[in-house]
Amino acid sequence: MVHDFAATPAHVVFVLCPVVIGGEAARRGGPVLAWRPELGTRIAVLRRDGTGAPRWFDADPFFLFHVMNAHEEGDGA
């Protein structure tokens, strides 16, 4: 489930937490959202100008609901 993202002048950042929307499970009466820590958390950083490939970072599982702020340091490359 992607609920929010962060933006700086040059980049957007998406945090992909291991909370999975379980449409099939919900149809069987199970939970709509499921915590799947074995998937880990992945972070994608994309350039706002559309150039280059996304940069991916892996992290231990965590959940993030709302991003409060973002900034860049250095040359922003």
Side-chain angles (χ1 to χ4, degrees):
M1 177 182 83
V2 178
H3 179 75
D4 202 357
F5 67 94
T8 70
H11 295 90
V12 290
V13 180
F14 293 93
V15 179
L16 307 174
C17 300
V19 173
V20 177
I21 297 174
E24 185 59 36
R27 282 189 282 283
R28 292 189 312 262
V32 174
L33 298 176
W35 177 247
R36 300 274 310 276
E38 69 276 9
L39 298 176
T41 294
R42 300 198 70 208
I43 301 165
V45 180
L46 294 84
R47 293 188 57 84
R48 289 183 67 173
D49 65 8
T51 63
R55 293 185 349 214
W56 287 96
F57 302 90
D58 293 318
D60 290 335
F62 68 88
F63 181 73
L64 174 73
F65 194 67
H66 283 251
V67 176
M68 298 219 22
N69 201 354
H71 74 278
E72 295 187 38
E73 294 182 11
D75 64 6

